Amino acid sequence: MTSGQQKKIILTGDRPTGQLHLGHYVGSLKSRVELQDEYEVFILIADMQALTDNARTPEVVSSNVLEVACDYIAAGIDPERTHIVIQSMVPELAELYMYLSNLVGVGRVERNPTVKAEIQQKGMTDHVPAGFFMYPVSQVADIVGFGADLVPVGDDQAPMLELTNDIVQTFESLYGGGALKPIEGMYPKVGRLPAPDGKAKMSKSLGNALHLDASDKQIKAFVNSLYPGIDGRQIADPGVIDGNVILTYLDAFDDDADGLEELKQRYVKGGVGDSELKKRLLPRLQALIEPIREKRIELNKDLNFVKQSVHKGTMAGREKAGRILSGVKSRMGINYAETLFKGIA
Ligand code: TRP
């Protein structure tokens, strides 16, 4: 990258309702760490979005904001380069959301498959908070509010990115001027990690997640609980690949593709125990988690460093979002500070 050339912007985020887990790591944290040299990265701790389904227990959100920040930094996010931003401290995003919400129909919001699935999963069928229903539009404001070019997220976020581009297109066709630009999604090669029993995805709300600061003992118990795809298999029986959660995790965490392929071939022939797969996986997960756990312990001793980092990132985010909001209001003809009231007070 030559000097003077603007780095492209990446925006991504998480709801702070618990510590981050392995699913977050493979789903997006890993790529964020890898991308922070080449891009200007904003990571949003989306506390306002988290409140859309935690309004009755807001402490679930507030108590996890710094936890998530610690997870980021421990996992390799460098606050010198990456802006860690707390959503509620950037009111410009809420304002932007208000304007953008006029550009999308209720029917479109209703059809969002991720929101529909969440409503089922969270048992909200009788009472869907209006804010929850609308959170994808708020997420669009997050994405355009930082001028993102690229958004690395899990596949479940694809509807939000599609919505972003639709709203950007509507905005531009109505008001023009390039205040908002389309974005590109960036999806992980490895799909969402399954739960140990293979029946659902790894998720903090389902209580099946392996945290990024898990102890060796917890990692071991987790690996031992992974489902091999069939019940009651004897070592002599052929192993199965489809639905084998141990293999799915090996696919995600084993860089030695040839070695893994060789093991799979032996495994499907029979005579190879599930324990051999687990033995291969365990040290790989331990090697991944151990440095994160150690770094987290260190950060906990100096939370001031974490706080200062997040504060700095949030201020940078505010500045960026302020400029975008001002551009949006100008295009809509309501940037009165720049027109009617220019020079007054
Ligand atoms: N909805 C995202 C999730 O649940 C979190 C999020 C909020 C986000 N704002 C964002 C992701 C902006 C990407 C960009 O994981």
Side-chain angles (χ1 to χ4, degrees):
M1 176 141 322
T2 54
S3 63
Q5 210 178 335
Q6 288 279 320
K7 281 187 177 177
K8 286 199 168 186
I9 295 178
I10 284 189
L11 182 271
T12 170
D14 298 284
R15 295 179 195 174
T17 53
Q19 278 179 247
L20 299 184
H21 56 65
L22 208 56
H24 293 113
Y25 186 82
V26 284
S28 66
L29 204 44
K30 185 167 181 252
S31 66
R32 299 173 194 179
V33 172
E34 288 160 0
L35 294 166
Q36 55 187 343
D37 253 342
E38 205 183 323
Y39 295 88
E40 179 170 15
V41 181
F42 291 86
I43 305 189
L44 193 65
I45 303 184
D47 59 344
M48 288 198 288
Q49 183 178 117
L51 280 169
T52 63
D53 64 327
N54 286 284
R56 278 149 222 275
T57 50
E59 61 286 352
V60 169
V61 177
S62 56
S63 66
N64 278 302
V65 167
L66 269 195
E67 292 287 336
V68 169
C70 285
D71 281 334
Y72 288 156
I73 298 174
I77 295 294
D78 172 9
E80 286 298 318
R81 287 177 288 167
T82 290
H83 315 290
I84 302 176
V85 182
I86 299 181
Q87 188 186 24
S88 65
M89 289 178 79
V90 185
E92 289 80 2
L93 296 175
E95 208 177 327
L96 202 50
Y97 163 41
M98 187 91 200
Y99 297 125
L100 299 183
S101 67
N102 299 322
L103 304 183
V104 60
V106 171
R108 175 74 203 270
V109 179
E110 242 164 11
R111 283 192 298 275
N112 187 307
T114 300
V115 174
K116 275 193 188 165
E118 284 173 309
I119 288 173
Q120 293 296 331
Q121 217 181 68
K122 296 172 197 263
M124 293 201 282
T125 32
D126 289 341
H127 174 86
V128 182
F132 183 80
F133 178 70
M134 284 292 283
Y135 91 73
V137 183
S138 154
Q139 187 162 327
V140 170
D142 300 339
I143 293 170
V144 299
F146 295 105
D149 298 288
L150 271 180
V151 186
V153 281
D155 304 346
D156 62 322
Q157 300 296 302
M160 317 322 179
L161 306 197
E162 247 171 62
L163 185 65
T164 304
N165 282 340
D166 285 355
I167 290 181
V168 167
Q169 200 187 16
T170 305
F171 184 94
E172 288 300 321
S173 67
L174 284 170
Y175 313 114
L180 302 182
K181 58 186 176 189
I183 50 115
E184 244 178 82
M186 201 177 189
Y187 301 100
K189 284 184 225 76
V190 182
R192 245 183 130 123
L193 285 180
D197 64 4
K199 291 201 183 105
K201 62 188 185 189
M202 180 180 283
S203 124
K204 57 197 163 206
S205 48
L206 298 174
N208 57 27
L210 186 65
H211 287 150
L212 291 177
D213 65 351
S215 66
D216 273 345
K217 215 172 135 196
Q218 287 167 324
I219 302 172
K220 202 162 181 184
F222 181 83
V223 168
N224 276 331
S225 73
L226 299 179
Y227 183 59
I230 39 170
D231 294 315
R233 176 178 170 251
Q234 304 295 313
I235 292 193
D237 300 338
V240 299
I241 302 245
D242 276 352
N244 187 323
V245 183
I246 321 166
L247 283 177
T248 309
Y249 276 73
L250 276 169
D251 284 335
F253 297 104
D254 191 338
D255 293 329
D256 172 13
D258 292 344
L260 182 56
E261 192 45 46
E262 184 270 331
L263 174 60
K264 280 184 191 172
Q265 283 179 10
R266 282 193 294 117
Y267 181 69
V268 293
K269 283 191 192 135
V272 176
D274 299 328
S275 61
E276 191 172 331
L277 305 188
K278 290 177 180 171
K279 253 189 223 134
R280 188 174 170 100
L281 178 62
L282 181 64
R284 287 175 163 86
L285 286 188
Q286 281 170 332
L288 174 73
I289 287 178
E290 191 195 286
I292 302 180
R293 184 176 65 222
E294 296 300 313
K295 180 86 207 243
R296 226 176 173 288
I297 293 170
E298 215 180 286
L299 288 171
N300 264 316
K301 288 190 201 139
D302 184 15
L303 276 180
N304 251 343
F305 170 75
V306 179
K307 290 182 191 173
Q308 274 163 1
S309 301
V310 175
H311 190 260
K312 191 171 68 131
T314 300
M315 292 305 112
R318 250 202 113 164
E319 201 195 299
K320 183 86 195 172
R323 268 184 276 135
I324 304 259
L325 175 64
S326 172
V328 162
K329 290 173 78 173
S330 291
R331 295 314 306 172
M332 296 176 89
I334 56 164
N335 200 347
Y336 306 122
E338 298 292 317
T339 55
L340 288 183
F341 295 95
K342 192 161 184 174
I344 308 273

